[in-house]
């Protein structure tokens, strides 16, 4: 036992049973409980992975917005992913967050999964490697990452109650594999999902003990998904350690009684507390206890925690050389440690961000309120543990960075913070280009700006893009670079850029925004938010920037939330005005009631109740230039949440006229860029998709534009697969995912050849939904059977001998490649790693990057295996005409399978085919290696 472990055992021994149990439920929605007498401060958790929102949904406290997880999965570049993880760590420090709830390690089992954008891939190997890299980046500086949602939480339909039925072998080889990689990377927190697996809810599942804690050696904390703990005793005996949110949960006094009655062993509670203390130590939250208490004070451990729940903070109700190799990735942290994943040089944080002369090296935990570190050019209230020796630790850095913080900022601090902001934006811009997937190109891309006099940018998504998916992972970015903004900035004044919106996308009306309305009290852009009592008297009033208020203040006596704005229409006609939420709601326009009713809550899903409540709309005739006063009210009834959303959209254009206008603009332009995509109600947490079609008449829009101009680039703005029935007619098809705040700038870099599209598909795209082999998300009698077994994604397509529109791994660059040679060992012993060398040549006219992929196919016999499975990959770079060698290390585990009879891993001897190429459907090189039994 180490000295640190002995100290934690000493602290554990000082706690009473009630004090131990108190620690196992959060203090608020986002904070754990503190025990100052033992030196334990609270730890703050925050949603991820698109950004770090912090403890509240407040548009006045913006965050950096990263590309979606599906875009990060398209990078196939672990070093880049680590840098993005480091950026999340810096954001966490700025917002005083100890634990980031990312990455999501669930799989793209079916293209209909509503939360695809938040997951990396359909493949366990790619997901595991990408997730491990993000974890290393986040945790290198003392911020804990969270692997979620353990396990088989791969779709949204009935996700709170669904019982997933899946075999032991499939669990091990497919769905548990990314979590095992996360533990190997040293992840500090694992989140148990809402769902059940094989008859047991995940919060009480034996899978939390084995394989997670016992076999894999996970030494961290297992936290419930928010509100997922429903039955205290089984979870108390199982591997769940922390119930969130607080202050109430099914544990508390009930768990104390269960221990006293012998239903839950005290050793189980001790293990949970021990893990929380270990996490606190790794996060710098376990400090030296006070040396001396004030005279007469209660000095017992836990005294400070004995507060009434009403005193808790407000919370929601729920809530390169010529030889390239992949073997030089940073070492992973071990599964049994919660220390830093490795000594990295500020992953994700741009060079020079820590160059301030006042920066102090962080080498261990420090107390909250310690002398501030000057990191990222500003001060921070908390020194933290976990940074590699000699590396600066990111911390909060004040108001000069993306608009957050309070207090005065000196010139030196402001300059450094502005430098960080600039470098962070540059990293995010490069991530957009590096993750963009060029699906199809008939020599249209890249566009040459010198030959462009007029460019037509077409589509509603060009000015209102989807930058992130819907649900709890959302953040408020300080700014968004739209595709139109990025294209205009890149082309400058020498090229005329024309925008035509095209027909409606059938997207729901967006929340009121400052560019459309003003606060009637201050006459400044935004809205007025008020809380009223039952008699209509004002309890609270404040200026806000958005009509989307998910957490209006909680005040005693509050009865009604009211949002008012002066809406200035820019178009005459029937505007769509809406209010979102549950319970009794109304909308008035210039004191005329246009909507009034009772709207019952129809779901318990917290993402719907608290984040994306349904919007109820009415059409109101408005006149351009004539401001109207719009007031929306909703009553705060128990069980209906607090989220209140006020929306407005201009009159829907005539589809036929809009299509004709787009075609004319395209015909008159030297090139046309059409931006199409999904809507928030098509890809969001809380529900799955019902089809893969683009909304409205977007397909007709693309057909009209491609018919008018052969030099048409179609930009697809979606988080997951969509049908592209016009893809063969387009000059080029470029997928940008949900690209985050710098989407338009990164898109322009790719369009005009300043950057090569670097992404490769992390999931297979079907031509039509009917072609896809695995589509079911709807449970039957509460059960969702994973009858497809091992065969999801490209594995299923290969098994059924079907050809998709685009295979897993597909992606074009701006050059071409010839695969010329494959070298593998003639034989090896089961369990051994081996090296594959692939010779290839850049046959195009530009320097480029190629992602070289290696797949395996097992020996013939009765054992069911996928037709082929991804075993490894790396990237190479070469100049035109240059030959290079990709070196891919294949771990011994890539050949193994799970034996359900022996409950153990086995490797079957025999000849294994090694296939190499550029996608799961393009593998021109094949060789055979003979695997011999070990021993």
């Amino acid at each position: 036992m180490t000295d640190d472990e002995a100290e934690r055992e000493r602290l554990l021994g000082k706690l009473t049973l009630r004090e131990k149990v108190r620690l196992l439920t959060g203090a608020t929605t986002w904070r754990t409980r503190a025990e100052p007498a033992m030196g334990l401060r609270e730890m703050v958790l925050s949603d991820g992975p698109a950004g770090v929102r912090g403890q509240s949904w407040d548009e006045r406290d913006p965050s950096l917005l990263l590309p979606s997880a599906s875009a990060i999965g398209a990078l196939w570049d672990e070093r880049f992913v680590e840098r993005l993880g480091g950026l999340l760590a810096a954001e966490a420090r700025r917002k005083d967050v100890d634990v980031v709830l990312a990455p999501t390690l669930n799989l793209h089992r079916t293209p209909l999964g509503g939360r695809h954008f938040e997951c990396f891939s359909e493949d366990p190997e790619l997901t595991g490697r990408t997730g491990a890299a993000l974890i290393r980046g986040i945790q290198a500086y003392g911020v804990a990452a969270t692997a979620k949602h353990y396990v088989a939480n791969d779709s949204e339909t009935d996700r709170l109650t669904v019982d997933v039925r899946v075999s032991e072998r499939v669990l091990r080889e497919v769905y548990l594999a990314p979590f095992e990689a996360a533990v190997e990377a040293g992840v500090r927190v694992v989140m148990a999902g809402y769902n059940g697996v094989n008859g047991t809810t995940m919060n009480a599942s034996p899978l939390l003990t084995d394989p997670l804690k016992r076999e894999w050696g996970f030494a961290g904390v297992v936290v419930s998904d928010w509100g997922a703990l429903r039955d205290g005793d089984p979870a108390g005996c199982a591997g769940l350690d922390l119930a969130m949110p607080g202050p109430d949960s099914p544990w508390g006094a009930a768990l104390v009684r269960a221990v006293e009655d012998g239903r839950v062993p005290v050793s189980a509670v001790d293990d949970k507390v021990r893990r929380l203390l270990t996490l606190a130590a790794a996060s710098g939250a376990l400090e030296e206890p006070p040396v001396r208490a004030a005279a007469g004070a209660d000095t017992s451990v836990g005294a400070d925690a004995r507060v009434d729940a009403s005193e808790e903070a407000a919370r929601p109700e729920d809530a390169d050389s010529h030889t390239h190799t992949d073997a030089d990735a940073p070492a992973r942290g071990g599964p049994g440690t919660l220390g830093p994943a490795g000594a990295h040089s500020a992953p994700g944080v741009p060079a020079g961000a820590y160059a301030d002369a006042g920066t102090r090296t962080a080498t261990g935990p420090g107390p909250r309120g310690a002398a501030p570190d000057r990191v990222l050019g500003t001060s921070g209230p908390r020194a933290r543990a976990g940074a590699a020796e000699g590396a600066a630790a990111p911390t909060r850095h004040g108001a000069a960075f993306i608009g957050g913080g309070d207090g005065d900022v000196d010139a030196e601090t402001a300059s450094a913070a502005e430098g960080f902001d600039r470098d962070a934006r540059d990293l995010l811009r490069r991530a957009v280009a590096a993750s963009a997937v060029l699906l199809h190109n008939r020599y249209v891309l890249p566009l040459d700006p010198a030959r462009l006099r007029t460019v037509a940018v077409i589509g509603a998504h060009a000015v209102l893009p989807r930058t992130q998916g819907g649900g709890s992972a959302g953040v408020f970015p300080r700014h968004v670079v739209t595709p139109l903004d990025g294209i205009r900035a890149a082309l400058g004044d020498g090229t005329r850029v024309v925008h035509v919106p095209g027909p409606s996308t059938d997207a729901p009306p967006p929340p009121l925004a400052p560019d459309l309305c003003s606060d009637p009290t201050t006459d400044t852009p935004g809205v007025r938010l008020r809380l009223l009592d039952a008699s209509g008297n004002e309890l609270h009033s404040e200026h806000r920037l958005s009509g989307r208020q998910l957490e209006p203040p909680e005040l005693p006596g509050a009865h009604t939330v009211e949002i008012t704005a002066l809406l200035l229409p820019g178009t005459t006609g029937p505007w769509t005005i809406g209010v979102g939420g549950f319970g009794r709601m109304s909308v008035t326009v210039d004191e005329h009631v246009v909507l009034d009713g009772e709207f019952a809550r129809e779901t318990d899903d917290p993402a719907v109740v608290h984040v994306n409540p349904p919007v109820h709309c009415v059409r109101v005739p408005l006149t351009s230039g004539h401001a109207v006063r719009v007031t929306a009210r909703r009553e705060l009834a128990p069980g209906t949440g607090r989220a209140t959303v006020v929306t407005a959209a201009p009159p829907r254009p005539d589809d036929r006229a809009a299509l004709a206008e787009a075609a004319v603009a395209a015909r008159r332009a030297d090139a046309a860029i059409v931006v199409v995509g999904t809507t928030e109600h098509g890809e969001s947490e809380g529900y799955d998709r019902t089809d893969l079609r683009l909304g409205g008449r977007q397909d007709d829009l693309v057909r009209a534009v491609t018919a008018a101009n052969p030099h048409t680039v179609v930009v697809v703005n979606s988080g997951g697969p969509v049908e592209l029935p016009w893809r063969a007619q387009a000059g080029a098809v470029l997928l940008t995912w949900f690209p985050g705040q710098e989407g338009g700038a990164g898109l322009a870099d790719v369009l005009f050849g300043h950057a090569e599209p670097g992404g490769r598909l992390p999931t297979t795209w079907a031509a039509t939904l009917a072609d896809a082999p695995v589509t079911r998300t709807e449970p039957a009698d509460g059960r969702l059977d994973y009858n497809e077994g091992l065969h999801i994604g490209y594995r299923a397509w290969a098994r059924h001998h079907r050809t998709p529109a685009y295979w897993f791994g597909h992606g074009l660059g701006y050059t071409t490649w010839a695969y010329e040679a494959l070298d593998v060992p003639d034989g090896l012993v089961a369990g051994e790693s081996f090296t594959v060398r692939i010779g290839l040549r850049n046959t195009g006219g530009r320097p480029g990057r190629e992602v070289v992929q290696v797949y395996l196919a097992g020996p013939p016999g009765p054992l069911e295996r996928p037709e082929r499975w991804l075993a490894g990959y790396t990237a190479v770079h070469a100049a035109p005409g240059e030959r290079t060698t990709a070196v891919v290390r294949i771990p011994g585990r890539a050949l193994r399978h799970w034996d359900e009879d022996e409950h153990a891993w086995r490797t079957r001897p025999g000849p294994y085919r090694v296939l190499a190429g550029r996608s799961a459907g393009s593998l021109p090189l094949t060789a055979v290696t003979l695997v011999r039994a070990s021993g």
Side-chain angles (χ1 to χ4, degrees):
M1 181 180 292
T2 67
D3 291 344
D4 288 342
E5 290 170 340
E7 174 62 15
R8 290 194 285 274
E9 288 301 311
R10 185 187 69 81
L11 293 174
L12 179 64
K14 293 174 62 178
L15 293 169
T16 67
L17 175 61
R18 291 183 181 276
E19 290 165 346
K20 293 174 184 177
V21 169
R22 186 183 296 116
L23 292 175
L24 304 184
T25 294
T28 68
T29 301
W30 300 111
R31 290 189 283 126
T32 63
R33 289 192 178 275
E35 286 284 8
M38 63 185 294
L40 176 66
R41 65 163 172 82
E42 82 280 1
M43 290 179 283
V44 177
L45 299 85
S46 175
D47 271 321
V52 182
R53 189 176 60 249
Q55 297 186 67
S56 65
W57 288 90
D58 192 331
E59 74 282 2
R60 299 166 299 183
D61 183 18
S63 305
L64 289 175
L65 175 57
L66 280 66
S68 63
S70 53
I72 294 174
L75 290 169
W76 295 64
D77 184 338
E78 288 152 77
R79 290 189 180 277
F80 205 134
V81 175
E82 282 194 37
R83 298 195 67 194
L84 293 172
L87 199 59
L88 287 173
E91 278 286 88
R93 293 300 185 96
R94 182 177 70 87
K95 288 178 175 267
D96 280 344
V97 168
D98 299 283
V99 180
V100 175
L101 302 180
T104 300
L105 298 181
N106 304 115
L107 300 180
H108 297 171
R109 173 180 166 266
T110 158
L112 293 176
R115 215 169 177 179
H116 264 8
F117 60 86
E118 198 178 317
C119 309
F120 295 123
S121 169
E122 69 187 19
D123 181 78
E125 177 72 11
L126 180 60
T127 295
R129 287 178 58 167
T130 305
L134 195 73
I135 289 164
R136 291 193 297 267
I138 293 171
Q139 294 193 168
Y141 297 92
V143 177
T146 305
K148 64 182 186 182
H149 310 83
Y150 189 86
V151 59
N153 189 177
D154 307 296
S155 52
E156 297 297 287
T157 305
D158 296 342
R159 65 176 179 147
L160 304 185
T161 58
V162 63
D163 179 20
V164 173
R165 297 303 175 105
V166 56
S167 75
E168 180 183 347
R169 182 184 175 199
V170 172
L171 268 175
R172 287 285 191 153
E173 295 187 26
V174 180
Y175 298 101
L176 285 169
F179 291 94
E180 184 175 9
V183 174
E184 290 177 2
V187 72
R188 295 174 187 157
V189 182
V190 170
M191 180 189 290
Y194 289 113
N195 60 300
V197 172
N198 296 332
T200 306
T201 178
M202 281 310 305
N203 286 277
S205 173
L207 294 170
L208 297 178
T209 302
D210 247 336
L212 179 59
K213 291 183 173 181
R214 187 172 298 155
E215 179 185 329
W216 297 346
F218 174 62
V221 168
V222 176
V223 62
S224 71
D225 206 338
W226 266 229
L229 177 59
R230 304 178 189 94
D231 192 348
D233 284 11
C237 294
L240 187 72
D241 302 310
L242 176 63
M244 292 295 288
D248 302 314
S249 86
W251 277 349
L255 182 55
V256 172
R257 289 193 298 271
V259 174
E260 292 172 342
D261 295 344
R263 300 193 308 274
V264 174
V266 69
S267 60
V269 172
D270 285 349
D271 182 69
K272 300 176 195 301
V273 176
R274 189 177 292 115
R275 290 171 178 273
L276 282 168
L277 294 177
T278 302
L279 174 64
S283 302
L286 192 57
E287 307 159 357
E288 289 294 326
V291 176
R292 181 179 301 165
D298 182 352
T299 60
S300 65
V301 173
D304 129 328
R306 290 191 277 273
V307 295
D308 188 82
S310 65
E311 295 180 30
E312 297 289 354
R315 68 179 186 92
E317 295 176 35
D318 304 307
D320 290 294
S321 72
H322 299 316
T323 297
H324 304 260
T325 177
D326 64 348
D328 58 349
R332 293 177 175 180
T337 177
L338 294 184
H344 308 343
S345 58
V349 181
Y354 303 133
D356 188 289
T359 298
R360 186 181 69 185
T361 299
T363 57
R368 190 174 195 167
D373 286 353
R374 294 300 287 288
V375 178
L376 302 178
T378 66
S379 62
R382 185 185 298 170
R384 298 181 186 255
E389 186 172 355
T395 184
R396 183 175 178 177
H397 45 280
F401 178 62
I402 71 169
D406 50 17
D408 295 329
V409 181
D410 59 45
E412 181 185 15
T413 292
S415 176
E418 289 169 3
F420 176 91
D421 191 19
R422 181 178 58 252
D423 290 347
R425 291 182 61 182
D426 178 68
L427 180 66
L428 295 179
R429 177 175 181 163
R430 287 186 284 118
V432 175
S435 62
V437 181
L438 184 54
L439 297 173
H440 167 78
N441 190 15
R442 293 192 298 177
Y443 304 103
V444 170
L445 286 179
L447 298 169
D448 183 357
R451 298 184 178 183
L452 300 175
R453 292 167 298 176
T454 301
V455 173
V457 181
I458 298 170
H461 281 77
V463 293
L464 288 173
R466 291 290 308 281
T467 58
Q468 58 185 319
S472 61
V475 301
F476 294 100
R478 187 180 66 162
H479 74 274
V480 168
V481 181
T482 70
L484 184 61
D485 292 337
I487 291 166
R488 282 181 168 159
L491 291 176
D493 296 333
T495 303
R496 179 170 176 260
V497 178
V498 178
H499 176 247
V500 176
S504 170
T505 64
D506 286 347
L512 290 176
D515 60 350
L516 189 62
C517 62
S518 63
D519 179 341
T521 300
T522 63
D523 199 31
T524 54
V527 305
R528 174 60 42 174
L529 171 66
R530 298 201 306 157
L531 274 295
L532 311 176
D533 66 15
S535 300
N537 299 312
E538 180 181 292
L539 301 175
H540 175 84
S541 177
E542 63 177 327
H543 173 74
R544 299 300 291 262
L545 301 175
S546 171
R548 186 180 185 224
Q549 297 299 318
L550 303 184
E551 294 178 341
E554 285 186 303
L555 297 174
H559 177 270
T560 301
V561 177
E562 178 189 273
I563 298 175
T564 302
L566 291 176
L567 173 64
L568 184 62
T571 308
T572 297
W575 279 65
T576 302
I577 311 293
V579 59
F582 296 94
R584 184 157 193 87
M585 299 189 295
S586 66
V587 177
T588 62
V589 176
D590 282 346
E591 307 304 324
H592 298 288
V593 177
V594 296
L595 186 151
D596 189 5
E598 186 80 27
F599 303 95
R601 170 173 166 173
E602 297 178 349
T603 179
D604 292 326
D605 195 305
V608 178
V609 176
H610 302 296
V611 181
N612 284 327
V615 175
H616 306 276
C617 297
V618 62
R619 290 188 175 175
V620 180
L622 302 179
T623 302
S624 177
H626 177 71
V628 294
R629 185 184 184 99
V630 176
T631 300
R633 295 186 180 94
R634 66 153 296 183
E635 295 183 2
L636 294 170
T640 63
R642 287 187 287 151
T644 308
V645 184
V646 185
T647 66
R652 179 185 178 116
D654 177 79
D655 286 348
R656 182 174 298 180
L659 289 171
E661 182 185 15
V664 169
R667 190 175 299 114
R668 292 175 176 173
D670 299 301
I673 301 167
V674 189
V675 188
V676 296
T678 57
T679 70
E680 184 170 0
H681 285 195
E683 290 187 89
S684 177
E685 180 182 358
Y687 41 83
D688 291 311
R689 301 161 72 186
T690 57
D691 59 58
L692 301 181
R693 294 190 297 272
L694 293 170
R697 298 190 64 182
Q698 293 186 86
D699 287 334
D700 292 335
L701 175 65
V702 175
R703 291 188 182 99
V705 174
T706 55
N709 191 328
H711 299 287
T712 294
V713 180
V714 183
V715 178
V716 181
N717 177 199
S718 71
V722 293
E723 294 175 358
L724 309 174
W726 33 258
R727 62 190 183 279
Q729 284 72 54
V733 181
L734 181 67
L735 170 61
T736 60
W737 310 100
F738 294 154
Q741 66 179 55
E742 304 299 325
L747 169 63
D749 290 340
V750 172
L751 291 174
F752 304 117
H754 304 305
E756 185 180 36
R760 301 297 184 265
L761 284 179
T763 194
T764 304
W765 279 43
T768 67
L769 178 60
D771 295 339
V774 181
T775 59
R776 184 182 168 198
T777 62
E778 188 79 26
D781 298 324
R783 288 178 42 162
L784 182 60
D785 293 297
Y786 283 18
N787 292 326
E788 67 281 353
L790 303 168
H791 312 286
I792 64 168
Y794 67 90
R795 300 176 177 195
W797 287 88
R799 179 177 178 80
H800 292 278
H801 304 290
R802 299 181 187 177
T803 301
Y806 302 108
W807 283 97
F808 169 85
H810 171 74
L812 306 175
Y814 285 158
T815 190
T816 55
W817 298 86
Y819 283 73
E820 298 181 333
L822 174 62
D823 178 58
V824 304
D826 293 332
L828 59 131
V829 175
E832 289 183 346
S833 299
F834 64 100
T835 299
V836 175
R837 290 177 169 81
I838 304 98
L840 62 164
R841 179 168 51 94
N842 181 344
T843 57
R846 289 175 55 121
R849 170 181 180 266
E850 176 76 340
V851 177
V852 181
Q853 303 162 39
V854 176
Y855 296 76
L856 297 177
L863 179 67
E864 181 181 347
R865 300 292 290 263
E867 294 289 318
R868 52 187 176 273
W869 63 93
L870 181 69
Y873 58 89
T874 193
V876 298
H877 299 79
E882 184 180 14
R883 284 185 166 84
T884 187
T885 300
V887 181
V888 180
R889 179 180 172 274
I890 307 300
R893 59 176 169 77
L895 288 81
R896 68 186 185 178
H897 68 275
W898 184 258
D899 188 315
E900 291 188 340
D901 293 330
E902 299 185 19
H903 307 290
W905 290 105
R906 296 288 182 262
T907 299
R908 187 178 177 211
Y912 283 74
R913 286 188 300 142
V914 181
L915 306 97
R918 60 191 339 271
S919 76
S922 178
L923 299 167
L925 301 179
T926 304
V928 175
T929 187
L930 183 63
V931 177
R932 303 184 301 275
S934 60

